[in-house]
Amino acid sequence: MLEFKYDTQLLIEGKNLNEDEISAYFTEHFKGDCLLAVGDDELIKIHFHTNEPWKVLEYCSTLGEIYDIVIEDMDRQSRGLKG
C-alpha cells in the first residue's frame, strides 16, 4: 500500500505568486511527497502526493484561481484499476 494515496495536480493563476513560498507552506503544513511547485509570479503548477487533497485545494484557492485540477487515486492505479 502507498503511504500517500492521491496524486494531486492543478494550476494556480494569480498575481505575485512565489513558488518558493508555496513550496515552504506545503512542506510546513501538509503531509506528502513528490512536491513540485513551478512557474512564475502569475501561474504556478502544483504536483503533490498526499492523503488529503482537499486541504491542498483549499490552500491553493486562497492564492488565486485554481483550474485543470486532477486528483488520481494511485492505490487504485497500482491495482490496475481506473484511478
Side-chain angles (χ1 to χ4, degrees):
M1 181 176 237
L2 300 169
E3 182 177 1
F4 299 107
K5 184 174 178 177
Y6 297 104
D7 178 3
T8 306
Q9 302 173 51
L10 61 112
L11 295 173
I12 308 167
E13 187 172 35
K15 295 188 187 301
N16 301 315
L17 298 173
N18 184 308
E19 61 189 47
D20 293 331
E21 289 176 6
I22 293 169
S23 292
Y25 188 92
F26 269 72
T27 302
E28 292 173 20
H29 294 91
F30 302 133
K31 292 181 181 177
D33 63 13
C34 296
L35 173 62
L36 178 68
V38 295
D40 57 31
D41 63 346
E42 294 181 356
L43 184 66
I44 300 283
K45 175 168 179 72
I46 299 292
H47 174 269
F48 190 56
H49 296 171
T50 183
N51 290 328
E52 301 172 318
W54 55 89
K55 290 184 178 181
V56 170
L57 296 177
E58 182 177 43
Y59 166 67
C60 291
S61 71
T62 68
L63 302 174
E65 182 178 355
I66 59 174
Y67 63 99
D68 285 352
I69 300 164
V70 176
I71 300 172
E72 296 179 321
D73 185 332
M74 296 184 300
D75 183 52
R76 285 183 56 84
Q77 289 176 337
S78 71
R79 292 183 284 136
L81 303 171
K82 187 169 175 82

